[in-house]
Amino acid sequence: MNVLNNFIYYIGSFGLIFIGLYIICVKRNLIKVIIGLSILNTGINLFLITIGYVESGTAPIFSGESIEFPRMVDPVPQALVLTAIVIGVAILALALSLAIRLYQHYGTLNLQKIREQRW
Amino acid sequence: MRKIISIVLLSIIAIGIILSIAEIPFGKPKMKVGKYYIDKGVKDTGATNIITSVVVNYRGFDTLGEVTVLFIAAVGVGAVLVTAEKKQKERVTEKASLVLSTGCRFLFPLILLLGAYIFVNGHLTPGGGFQGGAVIASAFLLFYMGCRWKRINKIKAQALESLGGLVFIITGLLGLIIGNYFMMNFLPKGIPNQLFSAGIIPVIYIALGCKVGSELAGVIDNMIEESE
């Protein structure tokens, strides 16, 4: 129980990462692969935030009149994830537009039926 | 067969990761760079939101690269979806329901206002240019869903996007001219926790908000145009 208490966030984020990887490896529908990519992205973001967590820490924002040094979480992973989320959205849009083009060209989203794309 | 191979491969990776992650204590303070930012961030940059000071000031050059990646992705969406000959197929689109078409007109300016609030106050409260830009793009998505016959002015959106990028780069270059390095904070830092403080950070975040908002709105526009 103690292990679960300490590592629940790691377990959750790696659960998402492995679900995403499994979908990317196994599924044949291109839309499902893109959904897997998105889940993988979310898991990695969650993992980075988890690494920077400090117990009973607040967000690294000084609010109020007095500016002192309370207990704060690490700001570096948060800044990294902030940019990673936006990049993730851009990559999702690019992948979806490629999927639209592939569907128009081949008439299917099944990766095994698309030429030169089988494993 | 494929499933079995994948599961075996993933479980091998999982065991390796579990063995290495078990060494990292959860919730213990283990920051080195982050501690410097928290200790000195407000004094160095004048922004009370430390994440903003990291994104825009300390690591501003990386943010410029990130904005470039976003720009390339948006251009890529446009380039992939562009159709050589516009097929004038009269596809009948279902009209939006009364709730959506009325609600989008009512909510559109309010969502724009919220987005502008988020990126103007990026150095004081949670938020910033990227988040505010995403909120503004969501307003355009709602608008497209509710009023399907309307389109944004693409040339104006592209002009706003280019202007945002230019302001970002010129502010950085001015720092190089006035001071010693790219993106030096040359404006007065002011009193922390006030709207007009933190030097160039609000300027850059407003430019980023306009840029990201118009960029993502352009992506939405491209995809909706393609689906019709």
Side-chain angles (χ1 to χ4, degrees):
Chain A
M1 211 57 215
N2 198 18
V3 173
L4 196 64
N5 239 346
N6 285 339
F7 292 99
I8 185 73
Y9 294 101
Y10 289 140
I11 292 167
S13 55
F14 276 104
L16 284 178
I17 290 174
F18 285 120
I19 289 170
L21 278 175
Y22 176 78
I23 292 173
I24 291 172
C25 290
V26 169
K27 293 294 173 187
R28 298 190 172 113
N29 191 325
L30 195 56
I31 297 291
K32 285 181 184 170
V33 171
I34 292 171
I35 291 173
L37 207 66
S38 182
I39 293 174
L40 174 64
N41 194 358
T42 313
I44 289 171
N45 288 343
L46 207 61
F47 174 65
L48 286 175
I49 289 288
T50 309
I51 287 273
Y53 180 69
V54 174
E55 219 164 316
S56 70
T58 59
I61 297 166
F62 292 94
S63 51
E65 290 297 311
S66 62
I67 291 169
E68 69 246 8
F69 173 60
R71 211 179 162 101
M72 284 178 173
V73 300
D74 197 349
V76 179
Q78 301 213 352
L80 188 66
V81 167
L82 165 62
T83 57
I85 289 172
V86 180
I87 296 294
V89 169
I91 287 172
L92 202 62
L94 193 58
L96 281 173
S97 57
L98 282 172
I100 291 173
R101 267 278 161 270
L102 275 176
Y103 183 76
Q104 283 176 346
H105 196 262
Y106 291 104
T108 175
L109 282 172
N110 192 331
L111 282 175
Q112 287 203 317
K113 285 185 184 156
I114 294 174
R115 262 187 313 145
E116 296 165 12
Q117 274 294 328
R118 42 176 89 106
W119 78 284
Chain B
M1 193 61 205
R2 220 156 76 139
K3 283 183 184 173
I4 297 168
I5 292 175
S6 308
I7 288 172
V8 169
L9 208 68
L10 287 180
S11 45
I12 291 170
I13 300 172
I15 290 167
I17 285 173
I18 286 168
L19 288 179
S20 57
I21 288 297
E23 302 292 316
I24 303 175
F26 174 71
K28 302 281 181 298
K30 46 185 169 289
M31 40 181 162
K32 296 190 175 84
V33 186
K35 186 136 177 48
Y36 174 84
Y37 290 150
I38 286 176
D39 285 342
K40 303 273 171 61
V42 177
K43 214 169 124 259
D44 279 356
T45 64
T48 48
N49 185 346
I50 304 294
I51 298 163
T52 299
S53 66
V54 173
V55 168
V56 183
N57 205 290
Y58 290 114
R59 304 274 81 200
F61 197 66
D62 299 350
T63 306
L64 184 61
E66 194 239 337
V67 168
T68 314
V69 171
L70 189 60
F71 174 71
I72 291 171
V75 169
V77 171
V80 167
L81 286 183
V82 74
T83 35
E85 71 273 10
K86 280 278 176 208
K87 291 165 288 183
Q88 287 295 336
K89 270 193 298 185
E90 284 296 322
R91 191 179 292 183
V92 184
T93 48
E94 197 181 338
K95 207 167 170 292
S97 71
L98 184 68
V99 176
L100 193 55
S101 58
T102 314
C104 82
R105 279 178 222 173
F106 174 66
L107 283 175
F108 179 66
L110 293 180
I111 297 176
L112 281 190
L113 190 67
L114 175 69
Y117 171 81
I118 287 175
F119 66 67
V120 167
N121 281 291
H123 55 300
L124 304 174
T125 53
F130 294 108
Q131 298 93 317
V135 169
I136 285 177
S138 76
F140 280 106
L141 182 58
L142 180 68
F143 186 67
Y144 275 150
M145 288 200 310
C147 313
R148 298 194 181 174
W149 60 92
K150 284 192 175 157
R151 283 279 171 273
I152 55 168
N153 190 336
K154 251 187 183 169
I155 295 173
K156 277 183 190 164
Q158 280 166 359
L160 187 66
E161 179 191 333
S162 313
L163 193 72
L166 263 183
V167 169
F168 190 173
I169 292 171
I170 286 173
T171 320
L173 285 178
L174 276 179
L176 189 63
I177 294 166
I178 295 170
N180 310 315
Y181 52 93
F182 189 69
M183 296 205 46
M184 200 196 85
N185 203 341
F186 59 87
L187 289 174
K189 295 194 183 74
I191 307 157
N193 258 326
Q194 284 187 352
L195 186 57
F196 292 101
S197 65
I200 61 169
I201 289 178
V203 178
I204 289 179
Y205 248 179
I206 288 169
L208 268 185
C210 295
K211 185 172 165 57
V212 172
S214 48
E215 220 159 45
L216 292 182
V219 167
I220 290 168
D221 183 70
N222 275 330
M223 296 194 111
I224 285 186
E225 206 166 68
E226 182 57 36
S227 69
E228 273 177 3

